[in-house]
Amino acid sequence: MNLLLFEPGELTGDTLVVADRRAHHLRTVLGVGIGDSVRAGELGGRIGSGHIVADDGSAYTLRVTLDSAPPSPLEIDLLLAVPRPKVITRTLEIAASFAVRRIDLPNAWRVDKSYLRSPRLDPQALALAARFGAEQGATTHIPAITVHDRLMALLDAQFPAPGGLRLIAHPGAPPLESAVTRAEPTVLAIGPEGGWIDRELETFVARGFQPVSLGAPILRVEAAVASALGQLLLLRRLRA
């Protein structure tokens, strides 16, 4: 946890009391005590520091100062075919740590239908994964995460016609950097293990998505998400 993230309603004046998993992490992982300070941020708001003024063995009391604007969310919307249940949580944490604006999780032809019944897709589980990612990435932005039973319905609703920078990861396509010529809002689509089927790829292309590759390696979903977002972040810095 690189940022002690709290809800606006948790703060009373400048005082914050934490007695949940965050206190456990502060105690057992970071090993902080009275007199120490940690980086803190208000969900959706500013960041600063929390100075520990009391510890009763189960709860910490902190005096919080929020004196800095948070990093801006990354202007990227991630469209990610539902991953295997055992990697859903960590993949979402990775994406949230980059502060992407939103994450859509659609069904796809090569997504096993049992995945959609995974408890890891419950709203509370998704929200917790996003929060863990934000704490790791030290951002106060939590991306909205939505699960979609039908890919085509999502495309019809959100992408009825070509427009903006839309990318779809596909092995063997031109490299990512060839499509990104300037920093601009981006939609990035990443398929399931095994990739998109031809009909899905053709539908994306008809909606203005450009097939791009991340290089020679064919990556697992969680690696592809980290690699793609890292490359886009670097390209944005270079071309800003």
Side-chain angles (χ1 to χ4, degrees):
M1 182 170 65
N2 296 312
L3 183 71
L4 177 62
L5 195 59
F6 59 88
E7 304 275 351
E10 291 184 274
L11 200 61
T12 302
D14 64 352
T15 301
L16 173 68
V17 179
V18 291
D20 54 11
R21 63 167 183 86
R22 295 168 296 178
H24 179 75
H25 187 92
L26 291 174
R27 190 179 312 282
T28 63
V29 179
L30 299 183
V32 298
I34 295 174
D36 293 328
S37 294
V38 296
R39 196 175 187 190
E42 184 178 76
L43 189 66
R46 296 172 67 80
I47 61 174
S49 61
H51 184 71
I52 298 172
V53 296
D55 174 15
D56 66 6
S58 61
Y60 284 104
T61 300
L62 303 94
R63 293 283 184 265
V64 175
T65 301
L66 302 176
D67 53 10
S68 301
S72 299
L74 194 59
E75 289 188 306
I76 294 175
D77 296 335
L78 180 62
L79 194 159
L80 175 67
V82 175
R84 291 171 294 134
K86 69 178 183 179
V87 302
I88 287 173
T89 300
R90 68 172 174 262
T91 303
L92 294 177
E93 288 179 12
I94 290 169
S97 70
F98 278 91
V100 298
R101 291 188 303 190
R102 62 173 290 114
I103 303 171
D104 287 294
L105 297 170
N107 191 6
W109 184 263
R110 290 190 172 123
V111 170
D112 190 300
K113 301 310 175 267
S114 67
Y115 294 0
L116 297 171
R117 299 190 296 272
S118 170
R120 292 174 184 259
L121 291 180
D122 290 342
Q124 287 185 334
L126 294 176
L128 188 59
R131 187 152 182 160
F132 282 157
E135 291 173 348
Q136 173 64 35
T139 174
T140 60
H141 170 73
I142 303 289
I145 305 177
T146 307
V147 180
H148 304 268
D149 291 334
R150 296 176 57 235
L151 172 63
M152 296 306 170
L154 168 63
L155 294 179
D156 288 341
Q158 294 194 20
F159 309 103
L165 181 59
R166 301 175 181 175
L167 308 174
I168 179 167
H170 190 65
L176 176 65
E177 61 269 23
S178 66
V180 181
T181 58
R182 64 184 186 277
E184 62 179 310
T186 302
V187 180
L188 172 66
I190 296 180
E193 303 288 353
W196 306 102
I197 63 172
D198 289 343
R199 178 173 175 270
E200 291 169 337
L201 183 61
E202 291 165 0
T203 303
F204 274 106
V205 170
R207 306 300 176 89
F209 283 78
Q210 303 177 60
V212 295
S213 69
L214 306 177
I218 297 177
L219 305 173
R220 291 191 180 276
V221 169
E222 62 269 33
V225 168
S227 177
L229 293 176
Q231 289 188 34
L232 283 170
L233 186 59
L234 174 60
L235 289 170
R236 283 168 176 269
R237 293 209 307 265
L238 291 174
R239 294 172 180 173

